[in-house]
Amino acid sequence: MRETSTYLYQNMNNEREAIRDVVYSTDPADFSYMAVNVPCQAACPAWTNVPAYIRCLYESRFDRSYEINRIVNVLPGVLGRICSRPCEDKCRHGERELGQPVNICHIKRAASDFKERGHVYLEQLFAPLGKSVCVVGAGPAGLAAAHDLAVVGFEVELIEALDTPGGMLSSGIPEFRLPRDVLKAEIDGILRLGVTLRTGVSVGTDVSVDELLTSHKAVLLAAGCYTARQLEVPGEDLPGVLSGLRFVMDVNSGRAPMLGKRVLVLGAGFTAFDCARLALRLGADDVAICIRGTEEDLRVTQDEIHEAKREGVHIRALMVSTRIVGQNRVEGIEFLRTRLEGTRSDGRRKAVPVEGSDFCVPTDTVIVAVGQGPEPIPAPGEKDRRNVLKGDPVTFRTSAPNLYVAGDFMTGPTTVIESIASGRRAAERIAEDLTGRKFREWAVRVQDTSVTDREREWDFIPRHEMPTVLPAIERFQPPQPEVEGGYTPEMAHEEAKRCYLCYLHYEIDIEACIYCRYCIDVAPRDCIKLVKEVVLDESGGVKRLVETTAWEEVNAVVIDNERCIRCGACLRVCPVDCISVSKMELVQRTLEAGRD
Amino acid sequence: MAGDHVVIIGNGPAANEAAMTLRERAPEFRVTIVGREHVRQYKPHLLPALVAGKITEEDLFVRSIAFYQHAGIKLRLGQEVVDVDFDTRRIILAHKEVLRFDGLIIATGGKPRIPEPLLVFQDVMMTLKTLTDARSWIDKLARVDCVLIVGGDLTSVAFAKTLVSLGKTVKFMVDEHGFWPLHLGDETRQEVARRLASGGMELVPCRKLRGLARLSADEIRVETDCGRYTVGAVGAFFGLVPDVRFLVRSGLYIEKGVIVDENLMTRYDGVYAAGDCAQVYHPTLRDYWVSIGYRNAENLGRIAALNLIGGKVRAETAPESIFHVDGVDIPTSWWAEI
Amino acid sequence: MGRVDVTMEVCGMAGDGTIAAGGLLNEAMSAGGFSVLGFDSYPAEIRGFGRCVTRSRVGTERILALVDKTNVLISLDDVQSHSRVPYLAWDAAVFFDSNPPVYVEEEMSLAARVEPGATLFAFPMADLAAAAAGTMRGRNLTALGGFAAAFSVPRDLFIEVIAKKFKAKGSRVLDANIKSFDAGYAYGLEHFSDRLRDTLKPPPGIKTGPEKVMLSGNLAIGRGALDAGLKLYFGYPITPATPIMEYLAARLPEKGGRVVQMEDEISSVGAVLGGFYAGARSMTATSGPGFALMTELITHGVMAEIPAVILNAQRGGPSTGLPTKTEQSDLHAAVFGGPGDSPRIVIAPTDVEECYRHTVMSFQLAEKYQTPVIVLTDFYLDNRVENLPMPQATESEIADANEYPDESVRGAYKRYLMTDSGISPRSIPGTEGFTFSATGLEHVEKGTPNYTEDNHMSMTEKRHRKIAGALEDLPAPVEYSRGGPLDVGVIGWGSTFGAILEAVNIANERGLNVGALKITSIFPFHGGVIRAFMNRCSEVLIPELNYEGQLANLIDHLHHKDVVRLSRATGVPISPSLILKEIETLALAGA
């Protein structure tokens, strides 16, 4: 279904451009197009409109760039520092012969860093509904849900067991990766909508879920994963063996434990890395992360691995712990070598122990960070075998009425951006369930774009790396600053130029094309094709272009948008001006009252 | 099968020995060597002698180009592999050429290791692995008198002696990780230190390099945890790491190098790895072992080739003593110098 | 000064800017003080599909010919460059784009075909150009930049010639081009340092003498005609002579002259005769098929003793033949073509400078000897470029060479007066008191037709005597040797002579005793000089680009034994190595 609205558009130069059509489409073919052609947005669990915010930043509209992020992600400044960046892995600019992906995340941080102090949020607040919802857990999922519920008109009570809100963001992630003032400012931005925050209240102990269900129309449990998984090897309870989760929480609340000189960290995720890097800052001489697989199996970003190594963390691969040894405290870990052997059912590689390969590594401190799980909060509703509430991944409902779950509490540990997306979607479902109406919908917005001022030279701008404190040794001196310094506005501007703006759609009008093939001559890669047939998929989108070299078989000259890097060379050279450019964006738009 | 294409990535002793073995035993195969450097195979352990002026470049080369042409080995120099797709058996070269292979031997050797904390100083440090490196050193040594050597791997010892013979002042900083993949005990390190000092070098007693800054084209300021001084050049000798970064996302098992079984085969049929770039599980060490040394590489190259054409030769994991420097000679030509 | 001798090629598809790149390369090398000889081959279509190859040989000593082996290949289209690989020297340098638009299979790869002794310089030409100038159009310049860095050619040499070439197109285009070049140059400095060659850094002191310019044979001819005071050009386009007409069409009107495109070659030569008849220096240029059409009127010029300058730029024949290939097979036609006993002057330059000189000379020869003068060049000579000081003509070289009748014969003027020299003073039509009739019929002194036996005999003899007398004004053969007896004497004409001289020089360096004789006066020829040379040679070798050995046919009777012919009808210039092989075979056989 498409609907069109026309309006006068005030462009960048403050000129009134002629009446333009803007089309909002919910056609599956268009969604399928967006999933393939704007891979960064498709990869983002929250569907952040990446090209749009990068373009705004290029135009030095930091506020607007920040806002575009905030529409789907309530914590842009935070995510701009610690996001796991699934978008960058899919960035077109990172295809082999095209160079390196755009530093999308660093640009997001720049928007947050340089927005005006007094800039105006354009939140579209709905009229109050006179109903209240309780959100348990003020981590990313809970915060995102609380925000959206408040915007839509609910009264929201946000309950947090720890003393400060933020969840893993405030208690798990070290300050050298995420300064607390950034987090606080963004949480304040959420609470200001009228969300009531109660900290230090543990649901299940201080107040029961049943009580909450009586005083609110719905309860959302977004309590995250705060139960550290055990290693389950003998010796795990020796003094000197620390739980990684506990360790980071203690350090972050100012109660850093004493560490020995040699530290072994077991685990392959962000927590393990945080522990290792913190250990160095606490004075350890020799810190190594020991993993079952190889570096390829680490579940952190490349930047993280790089910075950890720079600080002196060693990564020891292909080993699995069997026993922790020591008399009165830990003295070493016994390992077995592992060998890689195929993949598991979840797609992860399998590392199996090698018989007879036992060896011992001496150490005086062990930090275990092999995963976290949700705590089993007493509540009505069906539970799984670990006694944790089961939730439906689409509706977020539990089997108990009006009781919902979201975020890591529902799925097990994921990433911060996934949690935020989960919280939002849960809030949307709760709102629909409680009011019977939809408040927002996703649509593809299409508009003509007459000017694309990107220059071909920009495609060759080398990627700007994040300035960090160097040499790494400096990072350990008090006050142990934030390691990443952030881009300068100039660096951010230059990096923003690198984005191809994949939301642009170049199309040849077959009726007008004269088959001169000048466009193919100037194309920088195999992006314009002589096509004999276009194969469509079930949704109606383009699945495949069938090329031909036989001139008689050519039916059309077609721009393959999957290969197109939006350089504009074809547009400039076409002698009959048959190439049009439009902007296609996946946006969430507010539905006004009376609409379905 | 006749006409099958075997590609060897690398052009060092392992690669060439593999090629020669294939040529001998499987004349029906098409054999291609792809080497990144623009010159044919040469003996890297003679590079210090080249820098010392004791030999010429011609003395380094192992055999002539005509040899390869007569032997029917396609030698492709100055070309680099950037990716391998094992599903479709295709190799991608840096200049966007696709080479299809039936059999593959990865023999890319090692490249100079710079420990991560020191990567920030990479542009200021010089290594000695290739002929190009040696030429840079010759050029630099014509203008500087004082050189700092950091690390302490096998090459550094021979090179330091070379510098002393050229009348240069040599400061030597032994880094505890300098002998990777070997692990030095304290006594061993002291032994090494003693031998170095007796060779005319000044041993710098520091452990941590804090800063390196280029003051001018031939002046570098060095800052350590026990003092600072100025030298003309800094040499980084931290051993080699297998040169296999380009294979990281290809599906091969890579730890530091390409992991292979005792027949040097990777997880893919018909794909082998040999020489400094391969890691084999060593049951006595209980670790994945990287062989080092010219003769070891030749041997492994030969074994990989034999196995590729149907053999089942085991790569001998050499006795433990080779891998621990305890005053015992290691059969590599650099170390034997001491 | 170390000897430099490098052959370079730029190869690409039509539209890649190959020819432009080759041209800039030549200019830059010339600006650096090297001697340059260049020759391009390209398809006839304007925006076509076809291979363009520019070849340039560059050196510290005067370049005489092109050789078989290429030392540098700059590839702008790798598929087209496949055909050039067999010509690469074993240690050639090959430049190509490391980031083509699509992946290339091994069979289609240029890098896969090159022998391991070659050094590869792969770099992202199109991307560098796009990064520097926003478009990859300048990638031919980026390629030159990379090459310049690799071979230590000073950047300024290229910037100078790029600025000169693109000045007229405005600063934006010029800027983009310089940026494209610099992008390649900077890249080369950074990345090619492990395999730099310093071969093309101009040695100190290489630049001596007056400023040199790059000139093609055709341009030299056009320039010579202009300098000699050409007034009228009549012609019909034909490869490879058309550029002469184009050049003169642009410049002749400035000097008060006219260029008229006629309906065919017959009318062209007719108009030339008409022009000269009326007293104006006139000229036409054509090629084999066109020349054939002119023969009847040429003999008219012979019979009526009217000057004409006709340039035949030879190409592969017969008939339409091979329009873009070179050949020397019109000698017979030039000397003997046409009915009757019709002697005329035929001269043939051997290099670009001589193209100029012979063109200048032809007008005086035509006027003095009142005869068609045929200048024979060939495709290779017409289109190749050499660098040389801009040739100039002296006053005496361009002065009016007509012999006018004396005042004393006013009223009793005989146009075809019998004289010792055979030259009868001519008056320009319209000169009062000196009217005459001219005719293509046999005639008496007064010019009226006459067919009697004695008259025809004496008039024919007069015409022959006249032409024979031109020998004193025609350039004599030039010998290149140590003098004295020679094992092998190589005689040649036209563009082949360069290769001959190079082969002879190399043979002598190798210890043989060989000499070369350059013949530029094809008819009449200096029989005595030629015979004397031949007599000193144990063997005489005559290499020519035609099948029968047409010059050999003309002069072989002067030798007391058979001359050895090296006849090639291949369409491409004979290489020095081929001639050298023949020389060595003959010298050894004789030994």
Side-chain angles (χ1 to χ4, degrees), chain C residues 299-371:
Chain C
T299 63
H300 178 79
V302 171
M303 176 59 105
E305 299 194 47
I306 304 175
V309 171
I310 298 141
L311 188 125
N312 181 350
Q314 302 165 93
R315 71 194 208 181
S319 181
T320 320
L322 300 82
T324 54
K325 297 290 179 191
T326 197
E327 201 156 272
Q328 294 178 286
S329 52
D330 290 351
L331 185 146
H332 283 171
V335 174
F336 301 119
D341 292 311
S342 44
R344 74 298 293 263
I345 294 178
V346 179
I347 56 178
T350 64
D351 61 27
V352 167
E353 161 122 43
E354 283 181 358
C355 282
Y356 178 89
R357 294 253 96 76
H358 285 215
T359 305
V360 169
M361 179 192 313
S362 61
F363 292 95
Q364 289 192 326
L365 288 170
E367 283 170 352
K368 181 170 176 186
Y369 295 94
Q370 298 171 22
T371 174

Side-chain angles (χ1 to χ4, degrees), chain A residues 527-574:
Chain A
C527 44
I528 307 185
K529 301 183 168 160
L530 296 173
V531 162
K532 106 175 143 179
E533 199 193 323
V534 178
V535 177
L536 301 178
D537 64 23
E538 318 79 53
S539 71
V542 172
K543 182 153 109 173
R544 201 174 76 242
L545 298 172
V546 181
E547 288 178 77
T548 174
T549 47
W551 188 236
E552 324 77 66
E553 290 180 352
V554 174
N555 280 314
V557 181
V558 177
I559 296 175
D560 184 349
N561 272 277
E562 283 184 52
R563 303 289 294 161
C564 170
I565 57 172
R566 282 81 171 150
C567 72
C570 56
L571 186 71
R572 287 190 276 273
V573 85
C574 177

Side-chain angles (χ1 to χ4, degrees), chain A residues 51-125:
Chain A
Y53 89 70
I54 293 182
R55 175 69 190 180
C56 282
L57 192 124
Y58 162 76
E59 294 174 2
S60 294
R61 296 161 62 197
F62 303 109
D63 298 353
R64 183 67 191 144
S65 179
Y66 181 84
E67 247 172 46
I68 289 176
N69 273 287
R70 200 168 180 286
I71 296 171
V72 296
N73 158 18
V74 283
L75 306 169
V78 170
L79 272 298
R81 285 161 166 79
I82 55 90
C83 187
S84 55
R85 305 158 199 182
C87 52
E88 290 179 14
D89 284 337
K90 299 290 190 212
C91 173
R92 280 263 169 81
H93 211 316
E95 284 178 26
R96 187 194 297 117
E97 66 268 20
L98 295 175
Q100 300 276 58
V102 176
N103 261 327
I104 299 171
C105 195
H106 296 333
I107 293 174
K108 197 202 324 281
R109 177 188 164 154
S112 162
D113 285 349
F114 299 123
K115 67 186 190 308
E116 302 267 357
R117 246 180 194 284
H119 98 275
V120 175
Y121 283 30
L122 293 178
E123 306 246 38
Q124 291 183 297
L125 299 178

Side-chain angles (χ1 to χ4, degrees), chain A residues 96 296 337-338 342 357-358, chain B residues 83 248 253 281 286-288:
Chain A
R96 187 194 297 117
E296 222 177 303
R337 274 294 157 205
T338 63
S357 66
D358 43 293
Chain B
D83 200 0
V248 157
Y253 294 144
Y281 180 66
R286 282 117 196 253
D287 199 350
Y288 287 86

Side-chain angles (χ1 to χ4, degrees), chain C residues 413-419 424 436-437 443-448 450 455 459 462:
Chain C
Y413 169 61
K414 288 178 183 165
R415 172 67 186 90
Y416 299 102
L417 184 70
M418 199 57 78
T419 60
S424 317
F436 63 94
S437 67
H443 45 264
V444 289
E445 280 180 316
K446 271 202 70 185
T448 45
N450 181 301
N455 180 62
M459 275 299 171
K462 166 204 189 287

